Structures are given as C-alpha cells and as structure tokens.
Amino acid sequence: GNIHCQNLFGTIQGDQGNLEKAKEHFENALTALEKIKDIALVGKIEINLAIINSMQSNYNEAISYLKRALLNFEKLGDLKRISEVKHNLGMVYTKKKEYSAAISEFDYSIEASIRSNYLQNLGITYVSKAYVYTHLKDFELAEAFSNKAMEIAYKVNDKLSIAEVYRVKGMISRSRKQYEVSKNSLLTSYRLNKELGNQLNLAETAQELGILYKLKRDAVKSNQYFTEALSYFRKINAVADIQEVEKLIKN
C-alpha cells in the first residue's frame, strides 16, 4: 500500500511539474520494493523515473532506467509494457536528436502494440514517429503517420494524442509555408492541452507557436509564446529545452 501511494504521489507531483518531489516519491517506492520481489511494479516505477529524468534532460539516466524496466517486462513476457518501454526509449533518443535510433525503437514499439492490440500506445507511437519525420524533413511520411495516429486516437478517445497530432500537423503545415493552416492546428493543440492540464505538451506547443509567429514576423505573439514555454521549462529545469528556446529568441 505504501509503495502504491508513493507511486501515485509521484505521478501527481510529476503532472503538476514538481519533478524533484516526483522523483523523490518514485525513488522511495523503488527502495521499498527491494523487500518485495514484484518485478512488474519495479518496472512500472522505473518507467516513471525514466520519464522524469528525460524531462530534466538527464537522458543517460532515463535510458538506464528504461533498459532495466525492459529486462523486467521481458522476464514477464508483458508485451504491452514492452511496447511502452520501447516507445519511451524512442522519445529519449528523439530528445537526443538520435533519430535513426528513435525510429528503430518506435518500430519495435509499434510491432509489440499491434501484437498485443494495445491501441493507445500504437496511436501515440505513430505520432511520435511522425514528429521524428518532421525533423528529418520527410513531410509525406510525417503526414502519413500523423493521419494513422489521428485515426486511432479518435477510435480510443485519446485526447492527449489528438492534441499531439494537431501539434505535429501544425509543424508540417508550417514547413510547407501554409501558415494559416499551421496556426489553426497549433492553436487547437494548445487549447486541448490547456483543457487537459498537460503542462509539458502545452509548453512544447507554445514553442511551436512562437516559431510560427516569428516566421510571420509577429514579434509580440512570438515572444509571448516563447516566454510561456521558457517559463515552464525553467520550472522543471529542462536544460536542453531552455537552451533551445533561448536560442530561438536570440536568432
């Protein structure tokens, strides 16, 4: 009971952006688990610690936790959890800009999600793969994967994934210089994330809106959105994200 409570406290603190407190709760849960050999719960908490470390730009620590979690779920033969771990590994490699490694992990996650009929993870992995293709400037593949993601997200009513698809679609339209289409998609993503209280995705969408308004030469709105993104990234001490937004403001 104590372990489950620590894990829930950690999740709540993480959702509120209090990452150090979240980490403390997850580490307490992990310490308590040394007396109970529940490898499924150990793996679940290792995933949570990996997500927190990734948000704080501690990428090597995040990968280490995920690889440990993967071993635990492979012992159990839990395909759903394996697909989650592989998706999260892909996310960390995306943050590190190691796009080939990210796609490889996403492909494994997609395969495991299909085999276990885990639609929610399949949808979010499709949109994560679409996001990588926007950075590789392969907009046709990015659009194809974002469309597949949207289809699944609507089927399972996953509003977080729907918001993320709109963000990626906004990035694709912006790259094609379809600025009005891009603005509509990004503002939809922004509104959905605000309604859902997803602070991290809201900050990431604000950053993309900042880039869009900079291209449109609207300095007031551009700075407004960059400042909002920067405020959240500073709150969670996301070093890499802080540096990226500061660079965007200066250039």
Side-chain angles (χ1 to χ4, degrees):
N2 173 40
I3 292 161
H4 282 294
C5 285
Q6 290 283 3
N7 189 39
L8 283 169
F9 276 133
T11 304
I12 292 163
Q13 293 286 3
D15 286 344
Q16 292 178 343
N18 305 321
L19 300 195
E20 284 305 320
K21 285 183 180 176
K23 196 186 280 189
E24 193 181 317
H25 284 298
F26 291 138
E27 285 169 351
N28 287 343
L30 214 51
T31 303
L33 271 165
E34 287 170 10
K35 298 172 188 173
I36 303 166
K37 303 301 174 193
D38 184 339
I39 61 171
L41 193 49
V42 169
K44 188 176 171 183
I45 290 161
E46 283 169 340
I47 291 175
N48 288 339
L49 276 163
I51 291 166
I52 296 293
N53 275 288
S54 180
M55 286 169 76
Q56 293 184 316
S57 310
N58 303 324
Y59 302 130
N60 292 336
E61 288 91 333
I63 289 167
S64 176
Y65 275 119
L66 288 168
K67 288 191 171 173
R68 280 158 54 185
L70 187 61
L71 286 172
N72 284 324
F73 293 126
E74 282 174 344
K75 281 179 197 167
L76 295 167
D78 189 334
L79 264 182
K80 283 189 173 182
R81 288 294 187 189
I82 289 167
S83 70
E84 281 180 17
V85 174
K86 286 291 189 179
H87 170 259
N88 280 300
L89 277 166
M91 294 295 286
V92 179
Y93 286 124
T94 301
K95 283 282 191 184
K96 292 184 78 178
K97 297 183 169 39
E98 295 177 14
Y99 297 128
S100 179
I103 286 171
S104 176
E105 297 294 351
F106 289 144
D107 284 342
Y108 198 111
S109 178
I110 287 164
E111 186 192 340
S113 296
I114 291 168
R115 283 170 61 198
S116 58
N117 196 32
Y118 190 6
L119 289 181
Q120 192 159 6
N121 195 70
L122 182 62
I124 196 63
T125 307
Y126 277 145
V127 73
S128 299
K129 198 171 172 182
Y131 177 80
V132 169
Y133 280 121
T134 64
H135 284 280
L136 294 172
K137 304 202 183 307
D138 190 334
F139 301 114
E140 282 187 21
L141 272 178
E143 191 158 41
F145 279 109
S146 63
N147 288 339
K148 283 164 85 85
M150 188 68 95
E151 189 183 322
I152 292 167
Y154 270 112
K155 193 180 283 185
V156 298
N157 194 29
D158 181 355
K159 288 179 181 173
L160 277 176
S161 291
I162 291 167
E164 193 63 5
V165 174
Y166 274 117
R167 179 167 79 101
V168 172
K169 281 185 171 290
M171 292 168 70
I172 295 165
S173 300
R174 188 183 64 208
S175 298
R176 290 171 170 164
K177 295 185 167 51
Q178 299 166 339
Y179 294 148
E180 277 307 300
V181 178
S182 175
K183 184 182 82 171
N184 290 338
S185 294
L186 289 172
L187 286 173
T188 302
S189 175
Y190 184 86
R191 178 180 53 78
L192 284 170
N193 281 313
K194 203 158 201 173
E195 285 172 8
L196 295 163
N198 190 315
Q199 294 297 313
L200 177 62
N201 285 15
L202 186 66
E204 289 174 342
T205 307
Q207 180 179 329
E208 299 303 335
L209 278 161
I211 295 167
L212 173 67
Y213 282 112
K214 190 167 190 175
L215 289 168
K216 285 168 66 96
R217 302 188 189 283
D218 186 336
V220 174
K221 282 190 175 174
S222 176
N223 286 332
Q224 175 198 322
Y225 284 112
F226 281 145
T227 303
E228 183 179 344
L230 199 54
S231 171
Y232 181 73
F233 293 143
R234 281 179 177 152
K235 182 184 174 185
I236 65 170
N237 196 30
V239 180
D241 293 309
I242 292 165
Q243 288 171 349
E244 194 168 332
V245 178
E246 284 177 342
K247 194 166 135 190
L248 284 165
I249 292 168
K250 284 174 192 169
N251 293 342

